[in-house]
Every structure is written in C-alpha cells, then in structure tokens.
Amino acid sequence: HTYTYTRTHTHTQADEEYSRALDIFVKGCADVILRDGTTREVLILKRIVHPQPDWWFMGGRMRAGETPQQAAAKNVKREAGMDIAPERFRAVCTASYLW
C-alpha cells in the first residue's frame, strides 16, 4: 500500500501556548508482540474496528508518566483481556519521529 499524508490542520496558538499544549499530548505508543515462551507462537488479533479491520498487533498510546512496560500491560488488558504484569514486558525497539 502507498499512503499520502496531507496536513489538514495548522496551529493558531502563540508559540509558548502551543509548546505547553504539546507537553500534555501523548508522544509515544506501546505496541506489543506476545510470544509463547514454550512454543514461540506469536499472538495477533483480528481487529473489528475501522480504519484497519484486519490482523493487527496489540498496542496503543502511552499516557504521560507511564513507562513503556506499564503502557504495554494496560493495552494488552484493554485489547485482549489479559492481565500481565508490566515487568514481564521487554522493550525490543524504540523509534522516534519528528512531526
């Protein structure tokens, strides 16, 4: 697939106000690949919501102050109903993007 990004919004706040607003926005996601330690099988989910009603890994946004592990545990509980302790998650990749 090829996607084209079109910017539809511009900010109208003063720079200082815009900076303060950005400080409260979520700037990270914790997407999760769950793997069975014995069989090494990977769990993926079939999404039933738009815009991507297809096979997908679990995950979602981090809240301010959350560690990636806490966010991963929260997202897995929300999306799959699985209660897994945050310390069981291990970060394997970090990516930063400039918008």
Side-chain angles (χ1 to χ4, degrees), residues 23-87:
D23 285 342
I24 64 168
F25 293 154
V26 173
K27 298 177 185 82
C29 290
D31 293 333
V32 178
I33 297 175
L34 287 181
R35 187 187 74 184
D36 184 290
T38 304
T39 65
R40 301 180 66 91
E41 291 177 330
V42 173
L43 174 66
I44 59 174
L45 302 175
K46 178 77 170 173
R47 292 180 63 141
I48 58 172
V49 295
H50 292 287
Q52 298 100 1
D54 206 353
W55 294 102
W56 209 255
F57 294 110
M58 290 176 270
R61 294 183 178 155
M62 294 174 57
R63 297 185 190 276
E66 277 184 327
T67 66
Q69 291 80 8
Q70 290 168 330
K74 173 195 68 187
N75 294 334
V76 167
K77 180 154 182 124
R78 182 190 69 235
E79 294 188 16
M82 299 170 72
D83 196 6
I84 300 173
E87 56 272 8

